[in-house]
Amino acid sequence: MAEYEVQYSGKFAVIDTDIKSSDTYLFDGLNGRQGDEGRRVYLQIRDNGFPHDLTGESVLLYGKDVKGVTKTTDSMEHVFSPKAGTLSFLIPGAFYQVAGPYQSAYFVIKKTGTEQVVSTIPVSFTVLENAVFMTTGESVPYLANVDGKIADVAKRVDSVTTAFNETLNTINDSATAVANQVTQYMKQLKDNQVATLGGANNFTSTNHFANLIVDAWSGSAVDDLKSYVTDQVRAGIGNIKIPTPFSGTAGSRSITVSNGATTSSASDSLYAWKEDYGNGYWKIFGVGKVHVISLTQGGHFNIQLPWDVNDGDFIIGESFTDYMSKAEISNGHVEFYMYAGDYSNQEVWIDFTIAHTPS
């Protein structure tokens, strides 16, 4: 079995789904001391070097501690960018009960709301002894999803019990009220003050019908309504637009980066693709690394894409390296501004989205 040290991109620990099932990542960021609770780790998940798209997916952590006790948690805290595969994860205190290395552990990627497993990534970490930690007993199994479902069922049982008791408390009052209403209705029926089924009823005042079903009707008002509806349908047919089906273009790394930066030679260099929704609606997405040669604080480098971006109505851009950045469209290209400081000979991970809606 091969063990690989976890590499970092900024503050994100990079783990790849392409790792062999017999190998594992040595993940020091998961190491904790007995008594730790809510330890936060930042992850970027990749597929053979490329960002893994987490759209519609969730991440869980499974493991067996040094005593072989099973632990699971679905405590994914926040997804920073689904397209870039970046997220934060909280480790519950149940994972840090007994000192010693975990026998086995792995992150699990599932389709959200299902039990379908997309991929698993093995990791290795250790629980450190805490000389002043007061234990509350042996390590116990921790199944976050099962515990949550049990708590949810308990809440539902409490809710049903409360509603049932409230219903019993009002039955007597309701029965009395119904009896009074029946007596009043029988008097109105005797005095011909209510309509009857099968009778010839004459409504002389304004009446409101919430759900009217008519088998046959006639009169001048009905004829006027038919004529109005016919005219409106004929006028509206000419305005109906048939939507164009969604189509996408193949992604591209044929991107020119200039003005203090150049394209990265890394396997996860800047990658872009365009999605066309028809009738003038489109989006362009970009994610990956660029190589900054020299850039002063507040300066920008240029990105020339293989598509016309002048019609872009808005652009959102961010850098996962320092989080202090923005993107603008200018003269047919993207200008990416960096504000955290001066840069020199540095790989910078960026992400941007451009969209256009016709006026």
Side-chain angles (χ1 to χ4, degrees):
M1 178 181 72
E3 295 181 333
Y4 301 97
E5 291 283 351
V6 168
Q7 303 299 310
Y8 285 83
S9 176
K11 68 178 179 179
F12 293 97
V14 178
I15 55 177
D16 201 306
T17 60
D18 193 46
I19 189 173
K20 295 180 180 179
S21 60
S22 59
D23 298 339
T24 185
Y25 281 107
L26 291 175
F27 200 159
D28 289 344
L30 286 174
N31 292 348
R33 200 170 292 278
Q34 286 179 292
D36 284 0
E37 174 70 51
R39 186 178 186 85
R40 178 181 288 108
V41 294
Y42 295 91
L43 303 174
Q44 184 191 31
I45 299 176
R46 298 184 184 179
D47 296 325
N48 197 18
F50 294 96
H52 177 88
D53 190 347
L54 287 172
T55 302
E57 297 177 350
S58 57
V59 179
L60 304 87
L61 177 62
Y62 290 4
K64 285 188 178 182
D65 66 12
V66 68
K67 292 192 174 183
V69 178
T70 299
K71 315 282 184 175
T72 71
T73 182
D74 54 0
S75 50
M76 184 170 66
E77 180 186 29
H78 178 69
V79 177
F80 297 98
S81 172
K83 292 286 186 182
T86 52
L87 69 143
S88 60
F89 200 93
L90 296 178
I91 313 300
F95 276 71
Y96 299 110
Q97 289 179 323
V98 178
Y102 262 66
Q103 295 181 11
S104 63
Y106 49 94
F107 282 101
V108 180
I109 306 172
K110 285 187 176 182
K111 290 290 184 182
T112 301
T114 73
E115 293 302 316
Q116 180 184 345
V117 175
V118 177
S119 185
T120 58
I121 305 174
V123 293
S124 297
F125 66 98
T126 298
V127 179
L128 305 176
E129 184 177 4
N130 189 338
V132 298
F133 177 67
M134 299 297 293
T135 62
T136 58
E138 293 295 320
S139 176
V140 296
Y142 181 79
L143 307 173
N145 56 340
V146 174
D147 294 344
K149 290 178 180 178
I150 291 175
D152 184 57
V153 170
K155 289 181 181 179
R156 294 184 184 182
V157 170
D158 289 342
S159 176
V160 171
T161 301
T162 301
F164 180 72
N165 289 334
E166 291 175 353
T167 301
L168 288 177
N169 292 334
T170 59
I171 284 179
N172 288 334
D173 292 341
S174 298
T176 301
V178 169
N180 292 336
Q181 291 176 2
V182 170
T183 300
Q184 183 180 6
Y185 179 78
M186 293 302 293
K187 183 178 184 301
Q188 292 176 345
L189 184 63
K190 181 179 180 181
D191 296 339
N192 294 322
Q193 296 298 310
V194 294
T196 59
L197 182 64
N201 302 292
N202 183 23
F203 298 94
T204 58
S205 184
T206 301
N207 297 275
H208 173 76
F209 299 92
N211 186 16
L212 180 64
I213 300 176
V214 180
D215 293 329
W217 58 355
S218 61
S220 59
V222 175
D223 294 337
D224 291 343
L225 179 60
K226 289 181 179 177
S227 177
Y228 172 78
V229 172
T230 299
D231 291 343
Q232 292 299 310
V233 171
R234 289 174 177 170
I237 288 177
N239 295 325
I240 297 176
K241 295 182 179 180
I242 306 300
T244 303
F246 162 81
S247 64
T249 64
S252 175
R253 281 197 165 88
S254 297
I255 300 168
T256 302
V257 183
S258 60
N259 195 38
T262 185
T263 54
S264 172
S265 60
S267 61
D268 52 355
S269 62
L270 183 60
Y271 180 80
W273 68 97
K274 182 179 181 182
E275 296 179 355
D276 195 333
Y277 302 90
N279 294 326
Y281 295 86
W282 53 259
K283 289 182 181 179
I284 295 175
F285 302 91
V287 61
K289 288 181 179 177
V290 298
H291 184 77
V292 177
I293 302 171
S294 178
L295 196 67
T296 59
Q297 182 176 13
H300 73 274
F301 56 85
N302 299 334
I303 302 173
Q304 185 71 51
L305 298 169
W307 306 285
D308 183 7
V309 299
N310 279 325
D311 289 338
D313 293 313
F314 70 90
I315 180 169
I316 301 173
E318 60 181 339
S319 169
F320 300 117
T321 303
D322 54 38
Y323 298 97
M324 298 178 64
S325 59
K326 72 172 184 178
E328 294 181 353
I329 299 173
S330 176
N331 298 322
H333 63 263
V334 176
E335 294 182 349
F336 209 95
Y337 290 80
M338 308 289 287
Y339 296 98
D342 297 338
Y343 296 84
S344 177
N345 194 29
Q346 183 175 348
E347 295 285 296
V348 176
W349 184 279
I350 66 171
D351 176 276
F352 60 83
T353 301
I354 309 172
H356 174 66
T357 58
S359 58

